Amino acid sequence: MRTQKIAAMVTALLAVSVPSALPAFAQPANDTPAGATVISTLPFDDSVVIDDATTDALDTALNEQCGAPATEGSVWYRFDATADGGVLVDVSSSTFTAGVLVTVGDPAEGNVVDCAPDILGFEVVAGESYYIMAFSDTPGVTTGTLVLHAEEAPPPPEVDVTVDPAGTFTQQGSAIITGTVTCSSEGPLDFSFIDVEVTQRVGRFLIRGFGSTEFVCDGTTQTWSVEVVGENGLFRGGKTATVTFALACGQFSCDEDFEEQIVMLRRK
């Protein structure tokens, strides 16, 4: 009897002293659109362990419009827009490479707005509900912590371009077009540039060429100069028709401006 009691005590002690081999994770409450976490205010931050999150047929169907390498361990969020504007969603701080896909209205209807790895900006319209699917975009990576940050997107940059009415042409037959550009932005820019198209009638021929340059969007007015080489001939002195296009794009949106201007070319 005493031996049996000792054996029982040892068994009980072992059961208490030996920890579980693996931690237990519960399926995320926002594993499906029906349980989507509501983003009620911006900025918004959340993190969730995706170890027991599932990937289903809806994920696959939506990703046919997106083309992400995978939608492993997807979880869902919902944003109800109360005003027109834009939202930035950032999942780049997750412990795995992550992606974002957004639908307007019920995801089952398949109205995909946009998708992207790491960071996605999208426009919202007051009164609409937007569903955000965040996921591991690496096939087979189904564990880790998804870290999501959402905030209002900055307004689009503002760009204004002017073209000088007088330009020059070189001995080699290229046209030099100049002007000014003013650009301001509240957020970082992905790119900004000016494209110039020049056409000139020389005898029976219409000479056409294109050129471009980049500019810095820092709120100041800057001068710019573009050399345009004719694609089918040489530019000469006289009138030319120019179309100048300026574009500045941030993470979320772009702004553009263009000018049509008759430019008189003189020898440089």
Side-chain angles (χ1 to χ4, degrees):
M1 179 66 69
R2 182 179 180 185
T3 301
Q4 292 175 344
K5 288 183 177 180
I6 292 174
M9 291 174 63
V10 171
T11 301
L13 287 172
L14 288 174
V16 172
S17 62
V18 178
S20 300
L22 294 173
F25 295 109
Q27 187 178 55
N30 59 342
D31 188 48
T32 65
T37 298
V38 176
I39 301 175
S40 56
T41 58
L42 296 174
F44 171 87
D45 291 280
D46 190 38
S47 62
V48 58
V49 176
I50 68 162
D51 294 47
D52 285 339
T54 59
T55 298
D56 57 23
L58 176 61
D59 298 3
T60 301
L62 293 173
N63 193 38
E64 290 179 357
Q65 301 180 56
C66 178
T71 57
E72 305 282 15
S74 62
V75 291
W76 288 87
Y77 297 83
R78 192 187 83 222
F79 178 73
D80 300 322
T82 58
D84 295 352
V87 176
L88 280 177
V89 177
D90 184 347
V91 292
S92 62
S93 295
S94 302
T95 61
F96 45 81
T97 60
V100 179
L101 182 149
V102 177
T103 73
V104 57
D106 185 350
E109 297 177 358
N111 297 321
V112 175
V113 174
D114 205 352
C115 55
D118 294 332
I119 302 175
L120 175 64
F122 58 98
E123 292 185 14
V124 299
V125 177
E128 295 284 4
S129 293
Y130 297 85
Y131 283 80
I132 301 163
M133 181 174 76
F135 50 87
S136 163
D137 63 5
T138 302
V141 176
T142 59
T143 62
T145 301
L146 176 89
V147 179
L148 181 143
H149 172 78
E151 63 182 42
E152 289 185 17
E158 295 182 359
V159 60
D160 180 69
V161 66
T162 69
V163 181
D164 296 330
T168 58
F169 70 97
T170 67
Q171 185 176 358
Q172 292 75 31
S174 59
I176 309 296
I177 308 301
T178 59
T180 66
V181 62
T182 305
C183 180
S184 59
S185 176
E186 293 186 17
L189 287 190
D190 289 341
F191 55 85
S192 53
F193 63 85
I194 294 172
D195 278 346
V196 180
E197 177 187 4
V198 177
T199 57
Q200 183 184 46
R201 184 164 295 281
V202 178
R204 295 182 295 111
F205 300 98
L206 189 66
I207 310 302
R208 175 179 285 108
F210 298 87
S212 65
T213 188
E214 297 179 350
F215 61 89
V216 177
C217 190
D218 60 3
T220 66
T221 298
Q222 308 158 48
T223 60
W224 58 266
S225 176
V226 171
E227 182 174 5
V228 180
V229 177
E231 295 181 340
N232 57 337
L234 306 179
F235 292 110
R236 295 292 186 237
K239 292 182 179 180
T240 63
T242 68
V243 178
T244 301
F245 176 78
L247 178 69
C249 288
Q251 291 179 315
F252 167 63
S253 56
C254 301
D255 188 36
E256 62 186 46
D257 189 30
F258 78 96
E259 291 290 334
E260 295 180 333
Q261 174 74 42
I262 299 299
V263 175
M264 181 67 71
L265 297 184
R266 297 180 174 84
R267 183 176 294 277
K268 185 175 180 180

